[in-house]
Amino acid sequence: GAGKTTTFRTIMGYLTPVVGTVVLNDTSIVGLPTHKIAQLGIGYAPEESQVFGDLNVAENIELPTWTRPQGRDAKTRIAMAYEIFPKLRDYAKRGGSQLSGGERKMVSIARALTLDAELLLLDEPFEGLSPAIIPSISEGIASIRRRGHGILMAESNIHHIPEYADSLYVLERGEIIFAGTPADAHASPELMNIISGAA
């Protein structure tokens, strides 16, 4: 209960902030319905990596192109998703209910990407994954970043934070107890003790 998922759900309009505001491109989005926030360019890949079990991988990835018709054309968005996660080409016809946890995670992130989102919210993208699949997910996220998309990632394991992260915020019981770079965090024994549960 640090508040990471609550933060994401507040950004997406599932929850309303008690104080403060959420601003996108200098405009408050508080009070907007979730689908409107998505149409403004915020893609959300939740921790549970929920995919539509009755749809195959290709259909899951294509779905957001209908949700946000503005922006790049659907074909370009879908091609980019497969470039970032090439393994998904092999699973294109596989049903969503037949995917492993790592495969669902890739589909969830690819689906948020095909919204043509300016900002991607990735909630625990490495949680519960096999160590063998983590490099593919990490490289995919790095590729998304290189293409100019903003990424806000929540991760409970600091060792999963990629080295290319620009800023790191540590939440404890809903409060920010650290703000800086990943290198700054690793250089603080006191913070690392708190994060590891030793303090």
Side-chain angles (χ1 to χ4, degrees), residues 55-58 60 90-100 103:
L55 302 180
N56 63 31
V57 167
N60 267 281
D90 300 331
Y91 311 141
K93 300 301 180 185
R94 186 178 296 180
S97 60
Q98 300 173 318
L99 301 175
S100 69
E103 292 161 358

Side-chain angles (χ1 to χ4, degrees), residues 121-194:
L121 308 181
L122 306 182
D123 195 356
E124 300 279 6
F126 306 109
E127 179 69 22
L129 298 185
S130 161
I133 197 69
I134 287 177
S136 295
I137 303 291
S138 183
E139 175 51 35
I141 295 171
S143 180
I144 293 168
R145 181 179 181 272
R146 287 194 296 268
R147 292 165 188 260
H149 298 268
I151 297 173
L152 181 60
M153 179 191 307
E155 180 55 59
S156 56
N157 186 341
I158 194 170
H159 301 295
H160 287 163
I161 300 297
E163 60 184 19
Y164 52 75
D166 296 310
S167 301
L168 173 68
Y169 300 89
V170 178
L171 292 173
E172 185 177 37
R173 297 174 186 166
E175 293 186 11
I176 296 175
I177 62 169
F178 171 86
T181 67
D184 293 335
H186 286 285
S188 169
E190 181 181 358
L191 181 66
M192 295 305 291
N193 282 339
I194 293 173

Side-chain angles (χ1 to χ4, degrees), residues 75-88:
K75 185 177 179 180
T76 300
R77 298 189 216 178
I78 293 167
M80 181 171 58
Y82 286 123
E83 287 170 13
I84 289 171
F85 295 113
K87 290 182 179 180
L88 293 181

Side-chain angles (χ1 to χ4, degrees), residues 20-142:
T21 188
V22 180
V23 175
L24 177 68
N25 295 328
D26 298 322
T27 302
S28 173
I29 60 173
V30 172
L32 292 179
T34 298
H35 72 278
K36 290 290 187 184
I37 293 172
Q39 289 173 353
L40 288 174
I42 300 181
Y44 180 33
E47 179 180 354
E48 299 82 9
S49 302
Q50 296 157 328
V51 300
F52 293 98
D54 293 338
L55 302 180
N56 63 31
V57 167
E59 291 165 338
N60 267 281
I61 291 173
E62 183 181 356
L63 190 61
T65 65
W66 311 335
T67 304
R68 190 180 189 222
Q70 68 269 38
R72 285 173 283 196
D73 64 274
K75 185 177 179 180
T76 300
R77 298 189 216 178
I78 293 167
M80 181 171 58
Y82 286 123
E83 287 170 13
I84 289 171
F85 295 113
K87 290 182 179 180
L88 293 181
R89 292 186 188 278
D90 300 331
Y91 311 141
K93 300 301 180 185
R94 186 178 296 180
S97 60
Q98 300 173 318
L99 301 175
S100 69
E103 292 161 358
R104 286 197 307 274
K105 187 67 72 174
M106 282 191 280
V107 171
S108 180
I109 297 173
R111 190 174 57 193
L113 186 64
T114 54
L115 188 70
D116 206 19
E118 298 173 35
L119 172 65
L120 293 179
L121 308 181
L122 306 182
D123 195 356
E124 300 279 6
F126 306 109
E127 179 69 22
L129 298 185
S130 161
I133 197 69
I134 287 177
S136 295
I137 303 291
S138 183
E139 175 51 35
I141 295 171

